[in-house]
Amino acid sequence: MTLKVLYIDGDGPMGGASRSLYEAVSRLVEHGVSPYFLVSSGTASNFYRKVAVDLIETRGMSKFDNTRYGYYRGARWLILLREIFYFPFMFIALLRAKHRWKNVDLIHVNEYVYIIPALLAKFFFRAPLIVHVRSLARDSPHSRRVILLNYIFNRFVDSIVAIDGGVKNTFPQLLSVNVVNNSFSPALSNQPAPDFVERFEALRAGTLKVGFVGNLHLAKGVLEIVQAACILRGSSRDIDFVLVGGVTLQDKGLKAWLLSKLGFAQNFASDLKNFIEKEDLSGCCHILGPTLEIKYVYDRLDVLLFPSHFDAPGRPVFEAGFSNVPSIVAVEHPTVDTFIPYETGLAIAAKSPQALADAIAYLHDNPGERIRMGNNAHALAKQNFMPEANAKKLFNIYQIALGNFKNRQGLGASR
């Protein structure tokens, strides 16, 4: 059975969500999926083109953010101006997709904040809609926005896919939510560029390597990492803090100033470098830049740091697990399918450099515990994040959604 699937992704730069979608589609092709992509321009497109039958880019994709972290309040309502600006580009791209591809069997949107283009695509193509939910949803039961979005999910979405139990738990029980964990293919990783390898190999031998992997955004907790380095600098522990990643977009001029004043700026690389220089941390804090060959990095870390402000374990947590690396994660109530405190790593409070420093010190002083937690993280990664098993789960969801849709529409056999 061959399925023609339209994938919609509004995150242009390659990041965790786009990497997850790429991993999934790479395996779904083996099950007979023919992937077509409608995406925002950015580095993620370079990956999608490797598996796409065809791809259309747009300048931006209108979103409606009702996640627990990013929902609109106060000055954040101004962000809707950006979504209004992107709307005509997105709408024209959808029209181009309909004209070029005529029909698709399924529509799969890569995050529920892109519910607007998802609903428009469903209207244009008259196909079942799969919505992937990757962020904790705002679950205030009396919020009109929450009530509206839950109605939309119940009325127009054919299947909801959550990346873990924690995300699923933010939706009401009346909605049927499938859990399909993200995947990672460590065997596909190669040697990074020579200059990156040179920078990494220049680190001091014998130190505890604690590292961050991801975009250098303020909300990822990168400031807390260098602040923890300040706290631990006075101890007798020999620790190297390794930050691997870059920025998503280079905001400059008036736009950068305005984003900073309103508190919306996330790219933090230049501020991070200034902080390291000001506090004289260059001997232990190292910004190595981005690389796509992240397995190389995980294989050389002792502990992964993920002190994000999102209250959720991100992709690096289970990716590092494949390399037997435990994590320190800022999370309150993780579910056992992603992260188990004191078993696969340590849970700390968000926005707390002291808590992060204390956790790093504990794993430095207790190498046996560090090894035990790393082995447990590896076992959990193999149990829940293998690409082949998760692709099969997702393909089964596709088949069920398509069958139910055809039954409702009275379409009978496939086109």
Side-chain angles (χ1 to χ4, degrees), residues 215-218 222-223 226 243 245-253 256-257 260 265-279 287:
N215 293 319
L216 300 181
H217 287 181
L218 185 62
V222 291
L223 177 59
V226 292
L243 295 102
V247 298
T248 48
L249 294 171
Q250 289 284 5
D251 295 325
K252 299 178 181 179
W257 178 85
S260 177
Q266 286 294 331
N267 290 324
F268 203 67
S270 59
D271 299 88
L272 208 58
K273 292 174 182 176
N274 292 337
F275 185 94
I276 291 171
E277 182 178 345
K278 177 183 176 182
E279 299 295 332
I287 300 178

Side-chain angles (χ1 to χ4, degrees), residues 155-177:
R155 176 69 177 81
F156 299 106
V157 175
D158 297 273
S159 188
I160 306 170
V161 179
I163 62 169
D164 57 46
V167 171
K168 177 181 179 179
N169 291 341
T170 60
F171 284 86
Q173 293 185 354
L174 64 91
L175 292 176
S176 177
V177 181

Side-chain angles (χ1 to χ4, degrees), residues 84-126:
I84 294 171
F85 173 77
Y86 283 149
F87 187 86
F89 299 100
M90 173 197 72
F91 191 81
I92 292 171
L94 279 166
L95 291 176
R96 288 174 57 206
K98 176 61 178 176
H99 176 75
R100 186 186 299 182
W101 300 330
K102 309 301 180 187
N103 295 295
V104 297
D105 295 305
L106 284 158
I107 302 160
H108 182 153
V109 64
N110 197 35
E111 175 59 282
Y112 92 109
V113 297
Y114 297 107
I115 191 65
I116 296 173
L119 293 175
L120 286 171
K122 185 179 179 74
F123 174 77
F124 287 151
F125 287 98
R126 305 294 180 181

Side-chain angles (χ1 to χ4, degrees), residues 37-170:
F37 286 85
L38 176 65
V39 299
S40 293
S41 299
T43 53
S45 296
N46 299 330
F47 284 82
Y48 293 150
R49 284 194 172 92
K50 296 178 182 179
V51 293
V53 176
D54 198 5
L55 180 146
I56 292 175
E57 286 185 305
T58 176
R59 180 170 178 175
M61 195 87 68
S62 297
K63 68 167 71 172
F64 189 84
D65 191 340
N66 203 45
T67 62
R68 185 179 294 177
Y69 176 82
Y71 73 94
Y72 305 113
R73 69 272 193 192
R76 288 192 66 85
W77 282 105
L78 293 173
I79 297 176
L80 284 176
L81 294 174
R82 178 190 63 188
E83 315 312 335
I84 294 171
F85 173 77
Y86 283 149
F87 187 86
F89 299 100
M90 173 197 72
F91 191 81
I92 292 171
L94 279 166
L95 291 176
R96 288 174 57 206
K98 176 61 178 176
H99 176 75
R100 186 186 299 182
W101 300 330
K102 309 301 180 187
N103 295 295
V104 297
D105 295 305
L106 284 158
I107 302 160
H108 182 153
V109 64
N110 197 35
E111 175 59 282
Y112 92 109
V113 297
Y114 297 107
I115 191 65
I116 296 173
L119 293 175
L120 286 171
K122 185 179 179 74
F123 174 77
F124 287 151
F125 287 98
R126 305 294 180 181
L129 174 61
I130 313 293
V131 173
H132 224 124
V133 186
R134 302 186 178 278
S135 304
L136 297 174
R138 184 172 173 232
D139 52 356
S140 304
H142 303 297
S143 165
R144 285 178 289 182
R145 277 174 276 166
V146 172
I147 293 170
L148 174 62
L149 284 170
N150 287 339
Y151 169 78
I152 289 172
F153 274 117
N154 190 51
R155 176 69 177 81
F156 299 106
V157 175
D158 297 273
S159 188
I160 306 170
V161 179
I163 62 169
D164 57 46
V167 171
K168 177 181 179 179
N169 291 341
T170 60

